[in-house]
Amino acid sequence: MTFSLDLTTEGPRDALRARATPAEKPPLIGLTRAELRAALVASGIVPERQAKMRAQQLWHWMYVRGVSDFAGMFNISKDLRAELDKHFTVARPEIVEEQISSDGTRKWLFRFPPRGAGRPVEIETVYIPEEGRGTLCISSQVGCTLTCSFCHTGTQKLVRNLTSEEILAQLLTARDRLGDFPDRDTPDGAIVPAEGRKVSNVVMMGMGEPLYNFEAVKKALLIASDGDGLSLSKRRITLSTSGVVPEIFRTGEEIGVMLAISLHATNDDLRDLLVPINKKYPLKELIAACRAYPGLSNARRITFEYVMLKEVNDSIEDAKGLIKLLKGIPAKINLIPFNPWPGTNYQCSDWETIEKFADYINNAGYASPIRTPRGRDILAACGQLKSESERMRKVDRLALEAMMIAGHGEA
C-alpha cells in the first residue's frame, strides 16, 4: 500500500500516483543495450539468438515511444509481454506532488524505493519553460554531502545515490507529464515551447553532486543522448559540479556533455566558506582541470555559475578577480541572483549591484547573462531544492514513516 500525501502547507493539491514498482522486479530502464540483452537471456524468457532484436524492440518502446507498461508494446507477442511483466518493470516512480509556479515552472516530488536507505526516498525535479526551449533540472542524489552554505539542498544530509534508472525516470516522467512523447497531449494551460520538444535541454543541477555518483550519471546521460532513443544532443546536456577535480576530465572524455562549474568565489578563503569542497580541491587545481577539459573551445565553453550574495562576493574587486582567474578559458559566466530559503543568513545582491557586476564582466569579453529567477514561489529556483519530507516537522515525518511501514509502503 502506498500513501500519496500533500506535504506542503500551501493548501490541498492533488497527489499523483504512478504504479508502484514491486521490489522483486528489476527495472529495465537505465540498463545499457548489453545489460538489457544479458538480463533478457538470464531471465530465461528470451533465447540468446533473439536477445539483440528483443532488446532493440524494448529500447524503442521505452525511449522513443515512452511506454511505461509492457502491455502497450504491440509488436511483441502477448505471451512474451506477460513474461516480461512477470520478471521486469518499466514503470514510472510515484509522483507525490506536482507544483506549478505562476511563471509556468513545474516541480515534481518523486518517491523511489528505499534501496538500502531504510525507507522510501524522495527527490525533486524542476522543469523550466522558456521561449524556444524547455529545460529539465535533474537530481543525482538524495540529499548532498557538500554543505554549500548558500544552498538549501546542502542542509539535507546525503541519504543515497540515485541509480541510472532513477535519474532517467525523472526525464521520462517529465516527458509523460508534458506530452513530449508521440501521440501524447500537452496538459491544458501548460507553458511549453511552441515548437519542437517540450524538454529540449537537460541540466544536472538538481539535488546532489553528480560527480560523486559518476557511474550512474554517466550511464543515464549516455542513454539520454543515444541517437536511437531519447536522442538529446550532448550539447544540450550540461553537468554541473562543485569541483570534484579527479572526475572532471573523465566527464569530458567518457560522457562528452557540456560542463558547468559551481564557482561562486574567486579566492580560496571565501570559497572554503561558500563551497567547502574547495578545501579538498582548491581553485588552482579546479581551474587547471577546467583548462584541460576535453573538447574545450569557443564553441564548447565552460559555464561558470556565480551566485550573487549581498556584500559577500558582489564587489567590482570580486569581478576583477573573476576575470583574472578565468583568463584564457573559453567561458560563459552565469550570474545567479540568490534565491532565499527558510533559515538562510544570506541576502541577494541589489539589482543595481548585479548589473554593474555583469557590465564589468561583459566589458572584459565574457558573456555574463543574469539568470532570471524561476519558480521562487514553489521553492523551485536554483539552490532551493530539498525533499519535501525533509521540510516536515520531525513528529509528522515519523508519523508518515509509521503509516507507510504499517501499510507495507517500503515494499
Side-chain angles (χ1 to χ4, degrees):
M1 183 175 182
T2 303
F3 290 86
S4 295
L5 302 179
D6 177 10
L7 303 179
T8 70
T9 58
E10 298 179 13
R13 299 179 188 271
D14 291 333
L16 304 169
R17 290 184 57 196
R19 189 182 71 181
T21 303
E24 69 274 10
K25 294 202 295 187
L28 293 183
I29 291 167
L31 300 182
T32 65
R33 280 189 173 83
E35 290 171 338
L36 184 53
R37 291 194 296 269
L40 294 175
V41 173
S43 70
I45 61 175
V46 173
E48 191 163 358
R49 67 181 183 277
Q50 293 183 9
K52 183 176 181 180
M53 180 265 290
R54 295 301 185 190
Q56 188 58 38
Q57 286 179 315
L58 289 166
W59 193 274
H60 178 85
W61 283 113
M62 290 188 296
Y63 300 126
V64 177
R65 307 296 298 184
V67 169
S68 58
D69 192 316
F70 293 111
M73 300 181 179
F74 300 122
N75 65 345
I76 298 175
S77 71
K78 186 176 181 180
D79 289 345
L80 181 53
R81 279 182 273 158
E83 286 299 311
L84 286 167
D85 193 52
K86 287 180 184 178
H87 289 81
F88 304 106
T89 181
V90 290
R92 301 290 191 255
E94 178 185 352
I95 304 175
V96 179
E97 185 177 32
E98 179 178 37
Q99 292 178 272
I100 304 174
S101 168
S102 58
D103 63 23
T105 298
R106 290 175 180 248
K107 183 173 73 171
W108 294 281
L109 178 66
F110 292 122
R111 180 174 292 152
F112 294 110
R115 291 175 180 159
R119 60 183 174 88
V121 297
E122 295 169 353
I123 57 97
E124 293 182 327
T125 305
V126 175
Y127 174 70
I128 306 164
E130 299 174 87
E131 186 174 349
R133 71 177 184 178
T135 300
L136 190 68
C137 182
I138 289 179
S139 295
S140 57
Q141 296 178 306
V142 185
C144 190
T145 61
L146 296 183
T147 64
C148 297
S149 60
F150 57 87
C151 180
H152 201 196
T153 307
T155 66
Q156 179 181 344
K157 66 181 181 180
L158 178 69
V159 178
R160 69 168 174 84
N161 286 333
L162 294 178
T163 65
S164 57
E165 175 228 353
E166 291 164 338
I167 294 168
L168 280 168
Q170 297 170 67
L171 173 56
L172 295 172
T173 309
R175 293 190 66 184
D176 285 343
R177 296 293 303 157
L178 296 167
D180 202 24
F181 281 115
D183 305 319
R184 309 285 179 88
D185 293 326
T186 301
D188 290 341
I191 299 176
V192 295
E195 297 180 353
R197 295 183 177 213
K198 312 298 188 298
V199 180
S200 60
N201 295 62
V202 164
V203 292
M204 297 299 302
M205 297 182 184
M207 297 169 61
E209 166 54 63
L211 296 190
Y212 276 156
N213 189 15
F214 185 89
E215 294 301 333
V217 168
K218 171 185 171 180
K219 187 187 291 189
L221 294 185
L222 290 179
I223 291 172
S225 59
D226 186 285
D228 292 327
L230 292 165
S231 196
L232 277 169
S233 167
K234 289 185 178 182
R235 295 190 65 173
R236 290 183 174 269
I237 301 174
T238 300
L239 184 150
S240 176
T241 177
S242 292
V244 185
V245 168
E247 306 294 354
I248 288 177
F249 187 86
R250 287 187 67 199
T251 299
E253 190 84 349
E254 299 179 26
I255 309 177
V257 295
M258 306 299 284
L259 180 68
I261 301 295
S262 193
L263 188 63
H264 312 304
T266 62
N267 63 77
D268 284 325
D269 287 342
L270 179 56
R271 197 163 191 268
D272 285 351
L273 294 173
L274 297 179
V275 189
I277 195 176
N278 194 72
K279 297 174 184 177
K280 187 173 185 179
Y281 304 115
L283 281 170
K284 183 178 180 180
E285 295 180 24
L286 175 59
I287 297 303
C290 291
R291 294 185 189 279
Y293 191 69
L296 181 62
S297 67
N298 286 329
R300 293 178 63 86
R301 295 174 294 174
I302 294 175
T303 297
F304 289 89
E305 297 157 324
Y306 196 93
V307 65
M308 299 298 293
L309 301 171
K310 186 174 184 178
E311 298 178 357
V312 174
N313 65 350
D314 61 353
S315 70
I316 293 300
E317 287 304 309
D318 289 307
K320 291 178 180 178
L322 187 55
I323 297 304
K324 182 178 179 181
L325 183 70
L326 303 184
K327 185 177 181 180
I329 299 177
K332 178 176 75 171
I333 301 165
N334 268 359
L335 301 181
I336 306 170
F338 174 67
N339 295 302
W341 42 268
T344 182
N345 293 319
Y346 291 110
Q347 297 179 48
C348 181
S349 302
D350 299 330
W351 195 254
E352 182 180 355
T353 300
I354 296 175
E355 288 186 325
K356 287 181 179 178
F357 197 101
D359 287 344
Y360 189 92
I361 301 296
N362 267 312
N363 291 336
Y366 289 92
S368 57
I370 302 171
R371 185 181 297 177
T372 303
R374 301 291 301 274
R376 274 182 169 177
D377 54 330
I378 57 172
L379 287 181
C382 182
Q384 290 185 315
L385 299 190
K386 187 173 182 179
S387 299
E388 288 286 349
S389 58
E390 292 293 325
R391 295 196 190 110
M392 299 172 71
R393 292 184 302 120
K394 183 177 180 181
V395 63
D396 293 332
R397 189 165 65 249
L398 291 174
L400 170 63
E401 292 171 21
M403 289 169 63
M404 295 187 69
I405 292 170
H408 307 292
E410 290 196 29

